[in-house]
Amino acid sequence: MKRWLSNLVIGLYLSALSGGIVSYTLNFGPSCHPIMYYFVWDMFCGWSSHEIRYHVIGEGESGTCYQLAPGPWLRFMPYGDLDRLHYDVLGNSHRKMALNTLKVTDHEPIRRVVMLEEVWPKKYNWSDAVWAMRYDEPKEPMSYFWQRSEMTEDGHVLSAVPDYTTYLNSKSIANNPRLVNDTQIGKKHYMVSPIIRTGFQENTDE
Amino acid sequence: MESREPLSVRIKHFFYDEEVPYGLALCRISLPLVLMGLVLPRWIVCRELYSADGATGQLSVGYLGYDLLPELPGSVVAALYTVMVISMLTLCAGWNTRISAIISFATFTYFCMLDCVSTMTKYTAISSHVMFILSLSDCGAIWSVDAWLARRQRNLNPTKPMYVMPKSAAWPRRMMQLLICYVYFGAAVTKIHTPSFFSGDQLQYWMLTHLNYQHPIGELLSLYPILLVAMGYVTVIWEVTFFFCGWKSSWRSFYLPVGILFHFLTALTLGLLMFPMVCYCTYFSYLDDEDMATSCAWLRRQTRRFGWLKTASVRLTDWRNRLGERPEWSRPSPIWFAGALPVVALRGAAFE
């Protein structure tokens, strides 16, 4: 009985690990359930060329702006010298941070709460010494600010848009007619070469 | 001529050969200590990170679009988190090892899934796997409080032989080895999926990212993309072939040191601190009886060679002997453990 149970555990465990690898390799449901996080080893391959920081701002009726994140608690910097809110790419916790801050503080009526992204190219992360080794011109960092979402004082979301890097990506495609055509070609499949897809043939005929 | 055994027999030997669980015991001792670097700083903010009173960021939102797990009140979370910390410490000490491993695995996984912003990472996922495997193993059979109590109890009976090292089937250790192979193989597949990895762009952007701990060497290295491309290719080749060459053979003495060096370099160039240490803990699963005998012989030689090591060894033996035989502690040990957990949980909640 014990041996049978051991075999079952080994079989199930190795099947789950194999399932994760196959799922990710074939892009077949690697994000279908949170449990997949434990079986898909897709670490460290999503770095963009921009550095992003987040700001959660409350705008009072007087026009004064208030910083509502990282929240009314102790400052917590999980992996170095950055507050926790800067690691929340999806913005899951920003709304809760803002509402908690508003809940435990005295303040004027808040007209709206906005989540902002501050974005700059990563080349500005080079220290001055390393910058001087790479460039002749002086380092003049510049940030873009992008309003990700807006909500009322009680947390009702008024508007939300994708993050700035997604916007840049979409815009770079939209500005290129060839890429726009490519997005309309064929459907997702694995066994057929893209060259023989119908859409591609139509385009080449033109 | 040497006859080859059938595949089924070789698989049986692979998973079910009896051995002293040295590697798993080392993993059991080291992993909770490493994870203390993660869980202790989060204890003071557990209400914020993991409770309904705070600002959780559940992992499930990114997958399903809603919160999958229940969020508990702040005081309950403080108590539960304290239980998790204590369970990890008792797992390290080997006191009621199996139940400690189960509690550690369940609570650690729960808290990680509640906070994908600042707790959940791939090394915490690996740690959950390892704790799950430890909970199935006999990792507490040696170098633990449980083993000490069992040893004293057994020595009371004069009809039984002197203490012998307990042996158990190798399959939990094999599962941990296979886990490492799968992790590396999956990481290689990811890199192959990412064309910009082989152009060096991904590594360059990563080295310029200021989200992890400080890594000034990475910043300097990012000026030389040709080096990054070369390192990227070497990494992928090593990760793919680890699955086949990391096993006990002449190749292992090359692959494991390269793995240790590789993870050390990720700390210097990418600012990863916890990930390498968790991986080093899992590397203990590559130690079997023979490796341990070799290591112990080497350690004994070093002890004889260096006076301070000999002194430390003698002091440790004296300290262990001073504890004496306490067979009466063995029977009520689980009761004390069960009684201590709620008390500690309440104290933790009150202190928080």
Side-chain angles (χ1 to χ4, degrees), chain A:
Chain A
M1 181 65 179
K2 196 178 173 185
R3 175 64 63 91
W4 186 85
L5 272 176
S6 305
N7 285 335
L8 183 70
V9 170
I10 294 168
L12 286 175
Y13 188 71
L14 296 185
S15 301
L17 288 176
S18 305
I21 296 279
V22 171
S23 162
Y24 187 72
T25 307
L26 302 181
N27 197 19
F28 183 74
S31 306
C32 64
H33 193 274
I35 198 71
M36 293 304 283
Y37 189 87
Y38 285 87
F39 297 100
V40 171
W41 306 106
D42 59 344
M43 53 272 230
F44 312 134
C45 266
W47 302 103
S48 75
S49 55
H50 289 77
E51 188 88 12
I52 304 174
R53 297 290 179 268
Y54 301 95
H55 303 279
V56 183
I57 307 292
E59 184 184 331
E61 284 192 341
S62 66
T64 312
C65 290
Y66 303 92
Q67 187 180 352
L68 300 182
W73 306 280
L74 288 171
R75 285 190 73 186
F76 175 60
M77 291 173 261
Y79 305 110
D81 54 2
L82 272 182
D83 280 312
R84 179 179 176 241
L85 82 154
H86 299 301
Y87 295 89
D88 192 357
V89 179
L90 297 175
N92 287 343
S93 59
H94 294 162
R95 179 176 168 274
K96 293 176 186 173
M97 285 178 186
L99 293 179
N100 275 321
T101 306
L102 291 174
K103 193 168 69 181
V104 300
T105 52
D106 293 328
H107 53 81
E108 62 175 310
I110 298 295
R111 189 187 299 159
R112 61 177 189 148
V113 177
V114 291
M115 282 74 169
L116 298 174
E117 284 182 353
E118 182 186 358
V119 187
W120 66 87
K122 277 183 184 167
K123 65 178 181 179
Y124 293 123
N125 283 352
W126 270 317
S127 61
D128 292 342
V130 177
W131 177 275
M133 292 166 69
R134 178 72 176 79
Y135 296 107
D136 293 329
E137 64 263 33
K139 182 175 156 187
E140 293 172 356
M142 186 185 69
S143 293
Y144 303 93
F145 287 87
W146 176 255
Q147 183 176 311
R148 182 91 174 265
S149 62
E150 181 180 351
M151 68 178 190
T152 60
E153 186 180 2
D154 56 357
H156 179 67
V157 178
L158 300 171
S159 67
V161 294
D163 59 274
Y164 183 69
T165 52
T166 305
Y167 162 75
L168 279 185
N169 190 38
S170 310
K171 196 174 177 184
S172 66
I173 293 171
N175 287 344
N176 186 328
R178 185 183 63 79
L179 293 176
V180 171
N181 277 340
D182 284 354
T183 61
Q184 295 162 358
I185 295 171
K187 291 181 179 175
K188 206 174 182 183
H189 47 69
Y190 304 102
M191 302 302 292
V192 182
S193 165
I195 295 170
I196 60 169
R197 292 181 192 173
T198 313
F200 187 83
Q201 294 290 346
E202 284 170 0
N203 285 332
T204 50
D205 289 340
E206 289 170 6

Side-chain angles (χ1 to χ4, degrees), chain B residues 68-141:
Chain B
L68 186 70
L69 295 173
E71 290 177 11
L72 303 171
S75 301
V76 179
V77 164
L80 196 60
Y81 200 85
T82 311
V83 166
M84 181 187 75
V85 174
I86 296 301
S87 300
M88 283 186 175
L89 292 175
T90 54
L91 174 65
C92 176
W95 187 37
N96 289 281
T97 312
R98 195 180 298 279
I99 189 69
S100 296
I102 292 170
I103 294 172
S104 300
F105 161 67
T107 49
F108 184 74
T109 307
Y110 170 70
F111 285 123
C112 285
M113 291 186 78
L114 280 181
D115 180 32
C116 70
V117 178
S118 56
T119 307
M120 176 62 101
T121 63
K122 284 298 177 189
Y123 71 75
T124 58
I126 293 171
S127 303
S128 287
H129 276 272
V130 172
M131 283 192 278
F132 169 71
I133 293 169
L134 289 178
S135 70
L136 297 172
S137 73
D138 282 335
C139 61

